Amino acid sequence: MVIDGLRGLAEALRTYPVQHCQFHQMMTVRHYLTGNPDIEASRELLSLSCGMTRMDKDSFFGAFDEWYVKYKDVLNERVHDRRMKTPPYMRLRLRSAYLSIKKNMKRLWTFYDYKDRVIPNTNNGLEAVFADIKSKVRVHSGLTREHRMKLIDEYISRHY
């Protein structure tokens, strides 16, 4: 199964090998860090996430660990305010991007661990099928729910 990041879906499918879409992970990091980050730590994390589709598992893990060692002080820096018992982190978006990768790390490389099966590392193929089905349904906008389901079933049975 290839998922795009829905939280409960991976747990619901835990009996199957679940691959987190690497493209969606890259876009999540880009969402948090923007396309042109202002600090070096963010630029390097964005570059690392953009290159994950061209790296193998061990190379990515090593580069990710090196990034953390290099920038852990920047990542864990807190606001300097003595009035607060636990001051907040200074770079929330950088932390969110880092923690997103860290949380999804084991599912980003499922395709690599199951070389005997054909598991894609992105869900682009599935997205293309859905886009085609949506365009067919959109053309026939007056269909009832029952007829729409028949159209989708017929489309899938003829093409797949």
Side-chain angles (χ1 to χ4, degrees), residues 1-3 9-21 106-120:
M1 299 287 190
V2 182
I3 62 172
L9 192 56
E11 279 302 311
L13 299 170
R14 68 177 168 263
T15 57
Y16 304 101
V18 176
Q19 167 70 39
H20 185 92
C21 176
K106 68 178 182 178
R107 291 191 187 100
L108 285 170
W109 301 97
T110 304
F111 78 98
Y112 198 78
D113 296 334
Y114 289 89
K115 291 187 186 238
D116 58 324
R117 301 179 190 185
V118 179
I119 301 174

Side-chain angles (χ1 to χ4, degrees):
M1 299 287 190
V2 182
I3 62 172
D4 60 2
L6 298 175
R7 292 180 187 207
L9 192 56
E11 279 302 311
L13 299 170
R14 68 177 168 263
T15 57
Y16 304 101
V18 176
Q19 167 70 39
H20 185 92
C21 176
Q22 289 182 341
F23 176 77
H24 280 87
Q25 181 63 56
M26 180 189 71
M27 294 309 289
T28 300
V29 171
R30 179 172 281 173
H31 165 77
Y32 285 123
L33 301 179
T34 72
N36 188 19
D38 55 348
I39 64 172
E40 184 180 349
S42 297
R43 284 192 296 271
E44 285 193 26
L45 186 60
L46 180 63
S47 175
L48 181 63
S49 73
C50 289
M52 90 171 56
T53 58
R54 295 179 301 275
M55 299 173 84
D56 65 355
K57 180 180 179 179
D58 296 329
S59 298
F60 184 78
F61 276 44
F64 189 70
D65 290 340
E66 284 178 24
W67 180 91
Y68 179 73
V69 168
K70 186 175 179 181
Y71 293 110
K72 68 181 171 187
D73 294 335
V74 174
L75 188 67
N76 296 320
E77 187 177 2
R78 293 183 179 265
V79 174
H80 302 290
D81 191 351
R82 293 184 181 174
R83 295 174 293 166
M84 302 174 91
K85 185 175 183 179
T86 308
Y89 292 103
M90 285 189 72
R91 295 173 184 85
L92 293 176
R93 297 177 72 84
L94 177 61
R95 284 187 63 79
S96 295
Y98 167 77
L99 293 173
S100 175
I101 295 173
K102 186 176 176 182
K103 179 186 79 170
N104 296 322
M105 185 75 83
K106 68 178 182 178
R107 291 191 187 100
L108 285 170
W109 301 97
T110 304
F111 78 98
Y112 198 78
D113 296 334
Y114 289 89
K115 291 187 186 238
D116 58 324
R117 301 179 190 185
V118 179
I119 301 174
N121 63 338
T122 66
N123 65 351
N124 291 345
L126 191 58
E127 296 279 348
V129 171
F130 288 157
D132 199 27
I133 290 173
K134 286 178 186 179
S135 68
K136 301 286 188 251
V137 170
R138 198 176 304 119
V139 169
H140 301 91
S141 60
L143 293 176
T144 63
R145 180 176 174 83
E146 180 182 338
H147 285 115
R148 193 177 318 129
M149 294 304 289
K150 285 182 181 179
L151 173 72
I152 293 170
D153 287 342
E154 183 68 23
Y155 179 86
I156 291 172
S157 68
R158 286 187 184 200
H159 292 87
Y160 302 98

